[in-house]
Amino acid sequence: MQTLIVSLLLVAATIAIHYEVLRFTSQRVTHVRIYPRMRIILMLVAALVSHTIHVMIYAGAFLLLEEIGGFGSIDGDRGHSLEDAFYFSITSYTTLGIGDLYPTGSLRIISGIEALNGLVMVGWTASMTYLYMEKFWHIEGQFLARRRK
């Protein structure tokens, strides 16, 4: 039950962060007088920053839960530093799953939920990028023509 609560809190945090980052960036970038393609690049950079924050939150949770005890640990050749937790978290979030570090105990469930969470967040980013490309890609020529006048 504790594992489920922790997992739900982590998922809720990543959804809230991603929503706010995309909303904030979307509101700001739409009205900035820059090349439309640059707007898309800024959206992608903001999304990547958001994803990195998600990975850090999970890495911090893995370290904290390992320290508390009773949830398992991240094992392998290494596995007990922030760098290792970040590495493990990013391989889980991206579903890469190299396997040199692996979770034990309840952290296995949290790691699996992180993979599902990452898949959904990356899909959300892809959808948002598509919408921005749809909105701004075709107006590049119009933007350049106005700047020449």
Side-chain angles (χ1 to χ4, degrees):
M1 186 61 158
Q2 291 173 329
T3 304
L4 183 60
I5 292 169
V6 169
S7 296
L8 289 175
L9 289 172
L10 290 167
V11 169
T14 59
I15 289 170
I17 289 166
H18 207 58
Y19 175 83
E20 290 302 327
V21 166
L22 293 179
R23 184 188 63 76
F24 177 82
T25 307
S26 176
Q27 286 178 343
R28 300 298 185 264
V29 167
T30 301
H31 303 293
V32 176
R33 293 191 50 87
I34 58 174
Y35 290 106
R37 289 183 181 165
M38 190 62 172
R39 293 176 185 171
I40 295 168
I41 291 169
L42 289 174
M43 282 300 295
L44 284 171
V45 168
L48 286 173
V49 167
S50 178
H51 290 300
T52 303
I53 292 168
H54 302 168
V55 169
M56 284 302 297
I57 289 171
Y58 272 97
F62 289 136
L63 287 176
L64 179 65
L65 294 172
E66 189 172 5
E67 183 69 29
I68 290 171
F71 287 92
S73 63
I74 305 299
D75 289 339
D77 293 337
R78 299 172 60 181
H80 304 286
S81 69
L82 179 59
E83 179 184 358
D84 294 330
F86 180 81
Y87 167 77
F88 173 75
S89 182
I90 203 163
T91 61
S92 293
Y93 188 86
T94 60
T95 69
L96 181 60
I98 294 173
D100 53 342
L101 297 177
Y102 54 90
T104 64
S106 297
L107 291 185
R108 294 176 303 155
I109 303 297
I110 297 170
S111 173
I113 290 173
E114 180 183 13
L116 183 58
N117 189 198
L119 183 65
V120 170
M121 293 295 126
V122 169
W124 186 357
T125 299
S127 297
M128 190 73 171
T129 303
Y130 174 78
L131 291 173
Y132 264 74
M133 288 179 72
E134 187 79 13
K135 184 175 182 177
F136 295 120
W137 203 262
H138 69 283
I139 63 172
E140 180 83 16
Q142 297 168 4
F143 184 82
L144 291 173
R146 277 186 279 161
R147 293 201 93 202
R148 289 184 192 134
K149 290 182 181 182

